[in-house]
């Protein structure tokens, strides 16, 4: 039987960060930079006004109050402007380029706001309210390092630099295939023995929470149909994720089909809930096989698949945060298996407490929906006593 750590290592080895791709800025949000961002220009590109006011040459004026003729007006969107003549003023809008010859701005409120001439009522040091060229960014400066996630603040910088595209590790495309003749789409009339497909929806949602792009497919146990479905999905998949069809019954066809398509291995893993898991590749596409039990599928996703997707997306932090917490009650844990138990985690750092949710290890889907963490029981612990401290994987 494989340990949890051994299986996680196999899962990570099967996947590499996606190659860099130049994408439009609107598609780059939350993606990870694949290349450094190096400036090739100044920001701002010229001296600009930091206020609405009047541009003057400080050396050509006396002590206030004084009056100057206003020779022009420059707005933020103007592309041409006149040179400032000695002992005159140019009315200027915030953000507009400073005209040649000017070195200081006087705020509107320090004047009578005249249009043809202006009375200046207060003195200001040379350079006041001028935003110098390149004060924010100069050429050849490394502004963002590869590996950083692009958020709104970084997108603002890229757009200000005039970049319409940026090199990133693109969103991982995940095809989630739920396998089983018993599965139907939620909302569809069910026959006796059929169940709603919870896993296809929940795993697709979990992938989307990792910023992946998902495609969801529901297919029965027929070997030919399953093989055809997988082959069809390879063209749009960076990863294929299956759920169900891993037991030893005659209708459990996932292992047979995938083994015939690529290099796959299936192992019993020392994890609870769940047991048998698959990992491998079809061509260059990593394939991961998860159990059909909804809680076991979510535990397997958080433990093995989420780190894989973050690695493929170029993220530097692969794993959920883990915190120690004291359990409010005890329970019996399976021997030789690492158990993941849905809990409600409350308290503060150093004083966290965990309340077990759900009353049956194989029927905790409602408990999972209310949980915000998994309490992790080591393989060598079979009895968790009340007030036992366990490491907990934080899910929110």
């Amino acid at each position: 039987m494989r340990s949890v750590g051994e299986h996680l290592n196999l899962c990570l080895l099967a996947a590499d960060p996606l190659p860099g791709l130049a994408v439009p800025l609107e598609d780059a949000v939350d993606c990870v930079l694949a290349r450094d961002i190096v400036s090739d220009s100044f920001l701002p590109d010229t001296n600009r006004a930091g206020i609405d006011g009047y541009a003057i040459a400080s050396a050509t004026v006396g002590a206030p109050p004084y009056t100057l003729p206003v020779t022009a007006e420059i707005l933020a969107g103007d592309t041409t402007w006149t040179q400032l003549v000695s002992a005159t003023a140019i009315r200027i809008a915030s953000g507009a380029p400073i005209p040649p010859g000017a070195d200081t701005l006087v705020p509107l409120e320090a004047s009578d706001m005249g249009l043809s001439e202006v009375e200046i009522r207060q003195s200001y040091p040379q350079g006041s309210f001028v935003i110098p060229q390149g004060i924010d960014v100069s050429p050849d400066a490394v502004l963002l390092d590869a590996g950083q996630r692009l958020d709104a603040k970084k997108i603002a910088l890229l757009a200000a630099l005039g970049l319409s595209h940026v090199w990133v590790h693109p969103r991982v495309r995940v095809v989630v295939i739920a396998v089983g003749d018993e599965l139907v789409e939620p909302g569809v009339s069910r026959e006796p023995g059929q169940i709603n497909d919870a896993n296809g929806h929940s795993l697709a949602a979990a992938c989307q929470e990792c910023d992946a792009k998902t495609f969801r497919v529901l297919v029965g146990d027929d070997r030919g149909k399953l093989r055809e479905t997988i082959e069809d999905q390879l063209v749009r998949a960076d990863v294929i994720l299956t759920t169900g069809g891993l037991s030893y019954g005659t209708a459990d066809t996932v292992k047979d089909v995938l083994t015939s398509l690529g290099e796959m291995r299936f192992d019993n893993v020392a994890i609870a809930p769940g047991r048998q898991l698959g990992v491998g590749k079809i061509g260059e596409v990593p394939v991961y096989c998860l159990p059909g039990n909804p809680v076991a599928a979510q535990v397997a996703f958080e433990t093995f698949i989420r780190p894989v997707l973050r690695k493929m997306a170029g993220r530097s932090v692969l794993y959920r945060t883990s915190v120690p917490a004291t359990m409010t009650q005890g329970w019996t844990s399976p021997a030789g298996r690492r158990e993941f138990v849905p809990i409600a985690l409350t308290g503060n750092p150093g004083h966290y407490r965990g309340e077990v949710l759900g009353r049956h290890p194989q029927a905790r889907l409602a408990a999972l929906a209310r949980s915000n963490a998994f309490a992790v029981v080591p393989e060598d612990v079979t009895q968790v006593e009340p007030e036992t401290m366990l490491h907990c994987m934080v899910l929110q």
Side-chain angles (χ1 to χ4, degrees):
M1 183 178 289
R2 292 274 174 184
S3 71
V4 170
E6 288 171 336
H7 189 73
L8 174 59
N9 187 53
L10 289 173
C11 290
L12 290 171
L13 286 174
D16 295 309
L18 294 181
L21 180 69
V23 303
L25 288 188
E26 57 266 28
D27 295 332
V29 180
D30 276 335
C31 291
V32 173
L33 279 173
R35 298 179 180 178
D36 293 344
I37 299 297
V38 181
S39 171
D40 62 358
S41 61
F42 290 103
L43 187 65
D45 55 350
T46 187
N47 294 340
R48 291 192 175 270
I51 57 164
D52 293 327
Y54 296 90
I56 64 171
S58 59
T60 67
V61 299
Y66 56 85
T67 301
L68 299 174
V70 178
T71 60
E73 182 176 17
I74 301 177
L75 302 178
D78 288 347
T79 57
T80 59
W81 53 93
T82 59
Q83 180 164 329
L84 179 73
V85 177
S86 178
T88 67
I90 291 179
R91 190 174 174 119
I92 193 166
S94 177
I98 303 295
D103 59 17
T104 303
L105 300 185
V106 176
L108 285 177
E109 56 269 25
S111 74
D112 66 355
M113 302 187 188
L115 298 178
S116 60
E117 65 176 20
V118 61
E119 182 184 52
I120 306 297
R121 298 167 177 167
Q122 186 174 339
S123 64
Y124 291 90
Q126 182 179 359
S128 293
F129 306 110
V130 174
I131 304 174
Q133 179 190 40
I135 189 66
D136 198 2
V137 173
S138 58
D140 299 324
V142 178
L143 304 178
L144 299 173
D145 295 323
Q148 294 190 47
R149 182 182 68 86
L150 290 177
D151 56 16
K153 300 183 295 296
K154 297 180 179 65
I155 293 293
L157 173 61
L158 299 178
L161 293 170
L163 299 177
S164 62
H165 290 67
V166 61
W167 280 85
V168 298
H169 298 286
R171 284 182 172 81
V172 183
R173 299 170 302 167
V174 184
V175 175
V176 178
I177 304 177
V179 183
D181 289 337
E182 74 279 14
L183 300 176
V184 297
E185 284 287 353
V188 174
S189 178
R190 287 182 290 148
E191 300 294 333
Q194 291 184 318
I195 60 174
N196 293 315
D197 173 30
N199 284 1
H201 288 274
S202 64
L203 291 173
C207 293
Q208 290 166 14
E209 289 177 355
C210 294
D211 297 319
K213 184 176 183 179
T214 60
F215 306 93
R216 191 176 56 81
V217 181
L218 181 61
V219 64
D221 294 307
D222 178 78
R223 285 173 171 79
K225 182 62 176 176
L226 178 57
R227 181 186 179 98
E228 179 184 340
T229 297
I230 293 171
E231 289 177 330
D232 287 346
Q233 296 303 318
L234 285 171
V235 298
R236 64 175 179 178
D238 297 313
V239 176
I240 286 182
L241 190 60
T242 73
T243 173
L246 285 182
S247 298
Y248 296 96
T250 56
D252 296 302
T253 55
V254 168
K255 288 180 278 190
D256 289 345
V257 171
L258 285 176
T259 301
S260 70
L261 288 173
E263 297 182 3
M264 297 291 303
R265 63 176 297 156
F266 296 89
D267 295 292
N268 287 329
V269 178
I271 191 170
R275 182 179 290 265
Q276 188 156 122
L277 298 164
V279 58
K281 298 181 93 170
I282 301 176
E284 296 301 315
V285 179
V287 179
Y288 302 97
C289 304
L290 306 186
N293 175 277
V295 179
Q298 283 295 310
V299 167
F301 180 91
E302 290 294 340
T303 307
F304 305 115
I305 308 305
R306 188 176 187 275
V308 166
L309 297 183
R310 290 182 66 84
K311 176 184 178 181
M312 296 183 72
R315 299 293 179 94
S316 57
V317 177
L318 304 185
Y319 305 108
R320 293 278 197 186
T321 299
S322 176
V323 299
T326 301
M327 299 298 108
T328 60
Q329 70 261 59
W331 69 92
T332 300
S333 186
R337 298 166 71 186
R338 189 177 302 181
E339 186 182 24
F340 292 76
V341 181
I343 64 169
L345 186 69
T346 58
N348 301 301
H351 303 281
Y352 287 117
R353 295 185 68 79
E355 177 188 356
V356 174
L357 302 175
R359 293 180 292 176
H360 193 287
Q362 298 301 317
R364 282 180 167 153
L365 190 55
L368 182 65
R370 302 196 308 274
S371 68
N372 60 359
F374 286 132
V376 183
V377 186
E379 292 85 343
D380 59 352
V381 175
T382 57
Q383 189 63 44
V384 178
E385 302 293 343
E387 301 303 309
T388 296
M389 182 171 286
L390 296 174
H391 285 284
C392 302
M393 179 192 296
V394 181
L395 301 178
Q396 297 178 345

